[in-house]
Amino acid sequence: MNTITTLSRRRFLALTGVASSGLVLMGSIPGTVLASVLDEAEGAPLNLFVSLKTDGTVEIIAHRSEMGTGIRTSLPQVVADEMEADWTRVHVIQGLANADYGSQNTDGSRSIRNFYQVMRQMGSAAQAMLRQAAANTWAADVRDVSAQQHRVHHRDGRSMGFGELATAAATLPLPDLNTLTLKDPSEFRYIGKSVPIVDLDDMCSGNTTYGADVRIPDMLFASIERTPTLQGKVKSYNEAAALKLPGVVKVVKIGGTALPSSFHALEGVAVLATDTYTALSARDSLDVQWNGGQHATFDSERYLDTLAERVSSGPGKVARERGDTDKALASAAKTVEANYRTPYLAHAPMEPPVATAHIHDDICEVWACTQTPQATQRAVAEALDLDVSRVKVHVTLLGGGFGRKSKPDYSVEAALLARASGKPVQVVWSREDDVEHDYYHSCSAQYYQGGLDQDGALTAWLAREATPPIRSTFDRDANIQDDGALNMTFGSIPFSVPNLRLESHVAETQVRIGWLRSVFNIPYAIGVGCFMDELAHAAGRDSVEFWLDTIGEDRHLDFAPEGFKFGNYGRSLKEYPYDTARLKGVIRQLRDSIPWGEALPEGEGWGISAARSFLSYVAVASKVKIVEGRLTVTEMHCVIDAGTVVNPDRVHAQIEGAMIFGLSLAMMGNIDFKRGAAVQSNFHDYPVARINQTPAVIKSHIIPSDALPAGVGEPGVPPVAPSIANAIFAASGQRIRDFPFNRHFNV
Amino acid sequence: MQLDINGLAYEIDISPQLPLLWALRDHLQLTGTKYGCGKGLCGACTVHLDGQPVRSCQTPVSALHGKKVVTIEGLSEDASHPVQRAWKQHNVPQCGYCQSGQIMSAAALLANNQQPTPAEIDTAMSGNICRCGTYPRIREAIRDASGQSAEKK
Ligand code: FES
Ligand code: FES
């Protein structure tokens, strides 16, 4: 496993063929890393992603991380389709960290949309090489040769299996990717089909390797007592007491770094032991004393009060403006205003962070449940002062990620401890470690004011927000949201209102902030989605009708004239326009799939909301029941237009999961900080949704589309919380503006 | 300590206080059973003790004397237990991490109650967290495995 072979010239050519196609940059290929990647596959490489064994087994590299989306299946499914490989003979291999693959940063709901085309080309190129190899063997014209289900056929009836052609095909140059003829969608065999995930059997029998399942001979297990406050420093600890315990091998202090936090290890004291339980339990005897540092007085409740005061009391930095909002508000027939606040959240993936590092033969080898192997490689290289090519990162299965595992701090810890101990080390995070030392989803305070005319049409929209930015994790001076963050729903509202102004206020950060599934779309879709319902009610309008009318006519939005830089999730508006017709389409489809407007008994109500995020259009309806202060969500329905869909069953699964994730955070999600430290620590005080809180009816609907593929993992989440809040209002007349709902109801 | 796990007798030198979870994972290399909270709150570590579901993170090995432990690895030879089959039928797992525990809880439920009502399913499964939100499919799979036709989606 650890041997690094030299690239044979043939392999090198095969791969650099891909390189010159523009997929990867030839100049940057570190030979050793590339070679080690190839070690994972056993067959002859046809290109960077596809190898073929002589027995016909097709090996396809999954270069993105599997954290529950099914991506280890969906992208290889695309390759196999274009290659005309028989899916039952495909073996998926998890790729190591390797920049040649392109980005492996599995977040932002972009695996399919960024690699759909590339995977089609990789499959098609492999097929072209097999056809050419067969033509060469038969001394035939390649135009008389076609491939079907793992065989290449000549029109005269001769045929050869893929495996028989493996060796010959691998010697051929990679065809020019731009000359390939990709399949017509009508010929798709696997794309658009609900292929079961490749890990299904193993996941149902415990035969899986997640981060903590990695075992290296002679390894140690480590558990770290970390600073409870940002920038806290170790004052003292009792090394001797810990070392006295049987199984404890070593105690190592990890020095924290100055701000920004970035992906550095936090200051802490690690116990290294021969087994996990000893490492976890020996920490108590360390009796670490801390200097809390400059953030040790931070109180999140008071801080949210401060932010709420800021946004409701005065103008901020203008991000986007149209018309004269102040004048329109002054002359409106009716004005409505509201303040919303949303708390910090922890990711709490079912598997807490864990990483294993082994330093040997001048390289550092890491096994981690990471969403971002290349960032892991870079962070570990930096921490150990090694060249990036000397860090080899294996990606295990991830027991959920939700953005937490995009931050490689835990791999850095493992690497530092492996160096300090001279042994392979697995750093295990307890659930308490996970909840208390997250890169938290940011809190947010928002203020909205709207003006309505006599007919109940929206004439003015003023919105202000204050939200500690994610950028603060990488730039200690960042203290206000930029357009890149405001892109997420707040800045990109699609309303045809004649006057609008969007503003941001300063929000200094006192904890590590990070991105969590759907990122800032969560707080901003709450603000926008709840306020739309408040406006509709004030206007005496049906909220579905109010949404449709306020979005206005079918058009492609352009934000530039209003001074707003819309990032569009990294894609051009030409490729992926913001199409109001598609947004209205999901809202209409949602209305038609529920008994919207039905007469309900007291204490029951429906609410809806909608958002475009990660290039997908989503609308959600929730139905609630409130009996004696107990809030139950009884139904949830979601409609998504995500363009082309590769694996419908996995899209349904993501949407079902997104509804429950959104429900969880709306009902109960809350992290408080007192004296600079997180108050919550485990599932008793940071509850997440359980099966008995899951609505009896939960339905997802995918709009059939052949538009370019858009995001799926995240876009289901944002409309959920506001839809429930609006349902609560419909059921009870009560507006909940401070989240989560368990501040007001039993849930 | 003597342990009877998945029909095999093990003799290992461990502290009687060691939770079964860590005996399985670190001493017997049976890593299918997962850690999620260490406090009996999430169910990821669920195994069967004489047929009853227990949280292995809360079960010291000293409590196992004379009792039989079954883990996910021992539920069936080839993932063919009716619950496992139903799980595959409904494509339940997303990240998969909680699923060993879910399957063990579901198998114990059905062993004790062949025709659970929806409310009984929710009650029996409420100790098992799935952060990916596979609950709707867990419900359907259990109804299927119990021979009650799952509701059509
Ligand atoms: S790990 Fe045992 S219940 Fe959570
Ligand atoms: S499938 Fe991921 S936690 Fe349940």
Side-chain angles (χ1 to χ4, degrees):
Chain A
M1 177 175 25
N2 298 333
T3 43
I4 294 182
T5 54
T6 350
L7 274 177
S8 73
R9 187 172 153 68
R10 181 179 55 73
R11 281 179 151 196
F12 192 72
L13 281 176
L15 289 151
T16 50
V18 180
S20 59
S21 73
L23 178 66
V24 291
L25 289 174
M26 177 43 219
S28 67
I29 296 179
T32 49
V33 172
L34 191 53
S36 59
V37 172
L38 293 174
D39 287 346
E40 305 278 301
E42 292 167 3
L46 299 182
N47 58 54
L48 198 51
F49 290 91
V50 184
S51 300
L52 181 56
K53 287 165 69 166
T54 50
D55 69 359
T57 305
V58 174
E59 299 173 312
I60 302 178
I61 297 281
H63 70 300
R64 313 282 290 176
S65 298
E66 182 58 84
M67 51 187 166
T69 63
I71 202 63
R72 250 167 73 81
T73 303
S74 310
L75 285 176
Q77 185 181 337
V78 174
V79 176
D81 199 328
E82 285 288 354
M83 186 175 174
E84 270 297 313
D86 174 355
W87 182 250
T88 62
R89 301 175 75 181
V90 168
H91 176 50
V92 174
I93 293 172
Q94 189 68 39
L96 304 184
N98 182 350
D100 297 346
Y101 294 134
S103 171
Q104 294 176 274
N105 187 4
T106 313
D107 64 15
S109 300
R110 57 191 159 198
S111 292
I112 295 286
R113 61 186 158 100
N114 286 2
F115 289 96
Y116 178 67
Q117 194 64 11
V118 175
M119 291 301 139
R120 292 183 70 185
Q121 289 175 334
M122 291 298 115
S124 184
Q127 195 212 88
M129 290 161 77
L130 288 162
R131 279 188 280 117
Q132 188 61 54
N136 294 352
T137 310
W138 295 325
D141 187 331
V142 73
R143 282 169 299 188
D144 293 331
V145 167
S146 65
Q148 242 185 343
Q149 282 297 277
H150 241 78
R151 285 194 86 74
V152 179
H153 301 268
H154 191 278
R155 53 192 289 182
D156 69 9
R158 281 179 289 181
S159 76
M160 284 178 87
F162 277 9
E164 298 170 76
L165 292 163
T167 314
T171 60
L172 296 174
L174 192 92
D176 178 351
L177 299 184
N178 299 313
T179 64
L180 299 168
T181 314
L182 300 180
K183 282 185 174 181
D184 183 83
S186 65
E187 301 169 311
F188 286 159
R189 224 177 256 283
Y190 306 123
I191 297 170
K193 305 284 174 350
S194 293
V195 174
I197 56 171
V198 293
D199 299 303
L200 187 58
D201 249 63
D202 290 339
M203 284 177 176
C204 292
S205 51
N207 184 28
T208 40
T209 304
Y210 294 88
D213 302 331
V214 170
R215 294 289 179 269
I216 312 284
D218 207 25
M219 72 193 282
L220 296 176
F221 296 83
S223 171
I224 306 174
E225 190 75 14
R226 297 175 188 80
T227 172
T229 59
L230 188 66
Q231 292 287 297
K233 290 282 165 204
V234 172
K235 205 155 50 177
S236 66
Y237 60 99
N238 192 342
E239 176 168 350
L243 283 172
K244 248 187 247 142
L245 300 171
V248 174
V249 173
K250 202 173 168 70
V251 172
V252 177
K253 184 187 159 208
I254 297 181
T257 53
L259 291 176
S261 303
S262 188
F263 299 143
H264 304 306
L266 290 170
E267 172 117 350
V269 183
V271 177
L272 282 65
T274 49
D275 68 281
T276 313
Y277 187 70
T278 303
L280 287 170
S281 45
R283 266 164 63 182
D284 285 346
S285 55
L286 285 174
D287 188 26
V288 184
Q289 301 296 315
W290 299 95
N291 279 321
Q294 71 199 87
H295 300 285
T297 55
F298 181 58
D299 180 307
S300 55
E301 186 80 30
R302 282 212 315 263
Y303 186 54
L304 259 171
D305 289 343
T306 309
L307 296 184
E309 175 66 25
R310 266 180 214 167
V311 292
S312 54
S313 61
K317 182 173 165 236
V318 176
R320 183 178 160 199
E321 185 160 27
R322 175 195 300 166
D324 187 337
T325 304
D326 292 337
K327 200 165 127 206
L329 284 170
S331 61
K334 200 171 198 177
T335 59
V336 181
E337 65 178 341
N339 273 290
Y340 302 98
R341 46 202 280 177
T342 57
Y344 290 98
L345 298 173
H347 298 76
M350 210 60 231
E351 170 200 43
V354 54
T356 309
H358 184 198
I359 299 173
H360 61 88
D361 306 317
D362 291 334
I363 72 164
C364 179
E365 202 164 357
V366 176
W367 291 258
C369 48
T370 176
Q371 291 175 241
T372 174
Q374 291 172 32
T376 300
Q377 205 178 18
R378 288 192 299 270
V380 167
E382 188 192 316
L384 297 185
D385 197 16
L386 283 177
D387 189 83
V388 170
S389 67
R390 309 245 64 101
V391 180
K392 181 170 167 180
V393 179
H394 305 257
V395 180
T396 65
L397 286 175
L398 283 65
F402 312 117
R404 173 60 184 95
K405 292 171 184 169
S406 300
K407 291 85 175 176
D409 55 326
Y410 49 104
S411 289
V412 171
E413 292 173 342
L416 291 172
L417 295 175
R419 184 174 62 186
S421 65
K423 298 255 184 157
V425 174
Q426 180 170 97
V427 169
V428 178
W429 284 50
S430 67
R431 176 60 59 197
E432 287 79 5
D433 295 337
D434 172 54
V435 173
E436 292 168 4
H437 302 286
D438 200 358
Y439 286 80
Y440 298 94
H441 173 79
S442 205
C443 65
S444 179
Q446 296 164 61
Y447 168 80
Y448 291 80
Q449 199 181 354
L452 297 161
D453 68 13
Q454 306 288 6
D455 305 324
L458 186 66
T459 57
W461 174 282
L462 169 67
R464 297 195 194 113
E465 65 78 43
T467 309
I470 289 171
R471 284 180 302 123
S472 64
T473 295
F474 306 98
D475 169 4
R476 58 177 302 165
D477 299 324
N479 64 3
I480 190 165
Q481 293 283 54
D482 62 3
D483 287 2
L486 297 177
N487 268 319
M488 291 180 251
T489 303
F490 184 88
S492 55
I493 47 166
F495 306 137
S496 61
V497 54
N499 305 285
L500 71 79
R501 196 168 72 239
L502 312 177
E503 302 173 356
S504 288
H505 275 272
V506 163
E508 314 80 356
T509 301
Q510 320 234 24
V511 300
R512 293 200 298 186
I513 303 290
W515 49 102
L516 170 138
R517 188 180 194 176
S518 309
V519 203
F520 293 121
N521 288 296
I522 293 173
Y524 297 149
I526 285 175
V528 171
C530 290
F531 194 58
M532 281 296 278
D533 201 69
E534 300 214 28
L535 287 167
H537 181 73
R541 311 270 309 275
D542 170 90
S543 43
V544 167
E545 289 304 322
F546 188 77
W547 266 93
L548 295 173
D549 286 354
T550 306
I551 293 168
E553 61 192 37
D554 294 355
R555 65 200 186 282
H556 290 178
L557 300 180
D558 180 10
F559 303 91
E562 292 161 10
F564 185 64
K565 197 159 161 277
F566 184 53
N568 205 29
Y569 301 90
R571 291 307 190 119
S572 75
L573 281 165
K574 211 157 146 193
E575 262 184 311
Y576 285 92
Y578 193 135
D579 184 346
T580 57
R582 291 175 73 184
L583 184 59
K584 288 188 293 180
V586 292
I587 296 172
R588 288 200 187 98
Q589 174 70 48
L590 180 74
R591 177 188 54 196
D592 295 347
S593 47
I594 58 171
W596 180 249
E598 69 175 328
L600 287 172
E602 204 182 302
E604 292 184 34
W606 282 101
I608 62 126
S609 201
R612 175 195 190 261
S613 65
F614 306 92
L615 309 171
S616 284
Y617 302 81
V618 178
V620 173
S622 297
K623 187 181 183 186
V624 305
K625 189 171 169 177
I626 302 170
V627 181
E628 289 169 3
R630 171 160 291 277
L631 169 66
T632 311
V633 181
T634 56
E635 292 194 33
M636 295 182 89
H637 299 254
C638 177
V639 179
I640 182 167
D641 176 350
T644 300
V645 156
V646 171
N647 190 322
D649 177 70
R650 288 301 87 190
V651 176
H652 283 297
Q654 282 303 295
I655 296 302
E656 291 156 17
M659 283 192 269
I660 291 163
F661 195 88
L663 169 118
S664 186
L665 71 90
M667 303 282 265
M668 307 173 287
N670 176 50
I671 294 286
D672 296 307
F673 294 88
K674 292 252 181 288
R675 289 181 292 282
V679 172
Q680 288 76 14
S681 61
N682 204 323
F683 293 123
H684 64 290
D685 55 5
Y686 186 67
V688 297
R690 293 175 183 269
I691 197 169
N692 52 323
Q693 294 166 304
T694 302
V697 177
I698 195 150
K699 295 225 188 287
S700 66
H701 182 96
I702 304 170
I703 302 264
S705 168
D706 52 12
L708 290 177
V712 165
E714 295 167 276
V717 176
V720 173
S723 78
I724 303 173
N726 298 339
I728 292 172
F729 177 75
S732 68
Q734 206 177 338
R735 285 287 177 200
I736 306 298
R737 301 190 181 95
D738 55 337
F739 284 68
F741 303 136
N742 67 0
R743 297 168 73 104
H744 305 273
F745 300 100
N746 295 319
V747 297
Chain B
M1 294 291 307
Q2 268 204 345
L3 304 179
D4 179 339
I5 295 167
N6 299 333
L8 294 175
Y10 293 89
E11 175 77 51
I12 46 172
D13 182 20
I14 45 174
S15 147
Q17 273 80 54
L18 184 70
L20 171 59
L21 171 65
W22 302 111
L24 294 171
R25 293 187 50 82
D26 286 358
H27 297 273
L28 301 172
Q29 311 309 328
L30 291 169
T31 55
T33 304
K34 302 301 184 197
Y35 167 88
C37 71
K39 295 275 171 11
L41 300 164
C42 78
C45 64
T46 305
V47 301
H48 294 173
L49 193 54
D50 282 351
Q52 295 305 311
V54 297
R55 309 297 182 224
S56 63
C57 71
Q58 299 299 299
T59 310
V61 290
S62 59
L64 303 179
H65 190 70
K67 297 203 159 91
K68 290 184 194 316
V69 175
V70 174
T71 70
I72 184 72
E73 290 92 344
L75 189 63
S76 69
E77 288 272 300
D78 48 1
S80 63
H81 183 281
V83 167
Q84 289 169 309
R85 287 210 311 265
W87 243 243
K88 290 190 268 185
Q89 180 72 31
H90 289 272
N91 293 319
V92 173
Q94 288 187 27
C95 81
Y97 192 80
C98 72
Q99 299 297 343
S100 300
Q102 305 279 4
I103 288 170
M104 295 310 280
S105 288
L109 164 66
L110 292 179
N112 295 325
N113 178 355
Q114 282 162 26
Q115 299 270 298
T117 63
E120 286 169 341
I121 293 174
D122 276 11
T123 303
M125 300 303 292
S126 64
N128 287 79
I129 293 173
C130 174
R131 187 68 165 136
C132 297
T134 61
Y135 303 128
R137 295 185 189 220
I138 287 175
R139 284 176 177 155
E140 288 175 24
I142 293 176
R143 285 171 63 79
D144 233 9
S146 70
Q148 311 174 70
S149 63
E151 260 178 69
K152 271 272 154 273
K153 290 210 335 155

